[in-house]
Amino acid sequence: MNEIGSKTPEGTKGGLGLATLSTLVVFSAWSILGPLGPFLQSDLKISDQQLALLVAVPILVGSVLRIPLGLLSGRFGGRRMMAIVLLFTPLPLLGLAFAHASYSVMLALALVLGVAGSLGSAGTTFLHDWYPQRRRGFALGVYGFGVAGTAVGALLAPRLAERFGIAAPFIAAAIVIAVVSAFFLFFTSEAPQVAAAEPPSVPASKELRSEE
C-alpha cells in the first residue's frame, strides 16, 4: 500500500508536537479577554453587558472563521494556513496591550483577535494530510490537547496582569506565539502529496523562450 504515512516520515512526529503546541499557545491568547475581564472592566469603566460582548466577540468570530479557513486549508495546505494565522495573531495582541483605554478600539481588536480561533481547522487539515487513516485518530486526539490553551490562559493571564499590569499578558502571549511560529516554520513541512499538488514555478528564461 502506497499511502502517505504508512511508515511515519521523519519529522511528522515533530510536526504533531509543534502543531499541538501552536494551537495551545494561540488558543490561550484567543480566550485571553475572559480571564482579564475584571481588570478590563475596571480600566474601561464598562458595564457587565459591554464586558460580555467584548469577551464573546473573538470566540464567535473564531468559530465562524473555521469554515472558510478549513476550505482554504484544503486548497492551499494546512501548514500554510496555520503559518498565516500564527504570524498574524501577535498583531491584535500587541494592539490590545497598548490600546486598552478605549472600549471601541478594544472591541475592534477583539474582532481581529477572533482570527486566532480558526487555527484548529488548519491544524486538523495539516495532520490529516500527514497521517494515514489507521493513525489519524491518534494524531488528531493528541492535537486536540491544544484546546487546553484556554485553561492555560485562564491560569496565567490574571497573575501576569496582577503582577506586571494589564498590558503584560498580551505582550507575553504575542512573544510566545512569535517564538513558536518560528519553530513551526523551520521544523515542519506540508505532506508530500500536498507539496506535489502545487504547480511548479517556471523559470523566467523558459517563459521568455516560449514567448519568442
Side-chain angles (χ1 to χ4, degrees):
M1 181 174 62
N2 192 23
E3 188 179 12
I4 293 297
S6 55
K7 187 175 181 181
T8 307
E10 194 66 32
T12 308
K13 294 174 184 174
L16 174 58
L18 284 169
T20 304
L21 178 61
S22 298
T23 302
L24 190 143
V25 297
V26 167
F27 273 32
S28 70
W30 177 45
S31 59
I32 199 170
L33 295 177
L36 295 176
F39 301 93
L40 295 171
Q41 191 169 26
S42 175
D43 278 10
L44 295 168
K45 305 293 189 293
I46 55 177
S47 66
D48 291 343
Q49 290 76 18
Q50 287 175 308
L51 177 62
L53 178 62
L54 184 65
V55 172
V57 161
I59 306 302
L60 292 172
V61 171
S63 300
V64 171
L65 287 181
R66 289 184 186 188
I67 300 171
L69 195 75
L71 294 171
L72 290 171
S73 298
R75 173 68 179 84
F76 298 106
R79 178 186 178 274
R80 180 174 296 173
M81 300 314 298
M82 279 193 77
I84 289 172
V85 175
L86 281 166
L87 293 171
F88 176 80
T89 300
L91 300 179
L93 288 170
L94 292 174
L96 287 164
F98 297 108
H100 53 81
S102 166
Y103 178 72
S104 58
V105 173
M106 288 283 288
L107 196 59
L109 289 168
L111 186 74
V112 179
L113 181 62
V115 173
S118 65
L119 185 71
S121 59
T124 301
T125 304
F126 171 60
L127 295 173
H128 181 278
D129 291 335
W130 263 115
Y131 283 86
Q133 187 172 357
R134 63 187 177 84
R135 302 192 63 184
R136 199 171 289 148
F138 168 77
L140 295 177
V142 172
Y143 178 66
F145 181 74
V147 178
T150 56
V152 173
L155 288 170
L156 297 181
R159 287 169 172 76
L160 288 172
E162 208 169 278
R163 186 164 184 179
F164 302 107
I166 188 64
F170 299 110
I171 296 172
I175 292 171
V176 171
I177 292 171
V179 171
V180 172
S181 299
F183 277 93
F184 183 83
L185 288 170
F186 281 110
F187 295 108
T188 64
S189 60
E190 292 285 11
Q193 74 273 27
V194 177
E198 295 181 0
S201 57
V202 180
S205 58
K206 288 187 178 180
E207 287 184 357
L208 288 173
R209 285 196 210 103
S210 63
E211 290 176 1
E212 290 176 356

